[in-house]
Amino acid sequence: MALSKLERRIRIKSRIRKVISGTAARPRLSVYRSNKEIYAQIVDDVAGTTLVSVSSRDKGVDAKGTKSEVATTVGKALADKAIAAKIEIVSFDRNGFLYHGRVKALAEAAREAGLKF
């Protein structure tokens, strides 16, 4: 029987996470998208801590417009918070989602705002 969408994403995610791990020098930028919202966090996997997190549900983030526009806003806000926390270089973890649409919009906005990955 064919895999469900969630099972397929979890398999892809496990393949990605075998390779990508966040360290203090190069933390991992993890993206999660639900049907309505988008979440992004920068994680140090060695220490097991979240360094910076932003979502479309945060009060400081303007969640108006299309979902892709909201993802762009979240990407810019994440990059601003990360640079304020002296984080400039990250590893991008798309979390099993295709690098397309909202995930791509968030990544490109974060790059334009100054994050390197």
Side-chain angles (χ1 to χ4, degrees):
M1 190 167 158
L3 296 175
S4 70
K5 280 187 177 182
L6 180 62
E7 290 169 336
R8 180 180 171 277
R9 188 179 76 80
I10 289 172
R11 276 196 185 177
I12 294 168
K13 178 181 177 176
S14 65
R15 281 199 307 263
I16 293 168
R17 290 285 284 123
K18 277 193 289 190
V19 178
I20 296 174
S21 179
T23 62
R26 190 181 179 111
R28 176 173 57 95
L29 190 165
S30 178
V31 176
Y32 177 76
R33 66 172 176 80
S34 68
N35 286 338
K36 289 185 177 183
E37 312 291 345
I38 189 156
Y39 308 85
Q41 60 183 358
I42 297 178
V43 181
D44 178 1
D45 290 316
V46 175
T49 57
T50 299
L51 306 172
V52 177
S53 68
V54 177
S55 77
S56 56
R57 299 186 65 173
D58 289 349
K59 289 185 180 181
V61 176
D62 183 30
K64 301 249 192 285
T66 65
K67 292 179 188 177
S68 293
E69 291 168 353
V70 171
T72 302
T73 307
V74 169
K76 288 178 185 174
L78 180 77
D80 294 340
K81 274 182 134 179
I83 290 171
K86 297 183 178 156
I87 300 168
E88 295 179 2
I89 300 173
V90 296
S91 297
F92 188 73
D93 176 13
R94 58 190 175 90
N95 220 355
F97 298 106
L98 294 176
Y99 187 79
H100 181 267
R102 290 189 279 161
V103 175
K104 184 177 180 181
L106 187 143
E108 289 178 351
R111 277 195 191 104
E112 288 174 9
L115 275 184
K116 295 183 180 88
F117 55 93

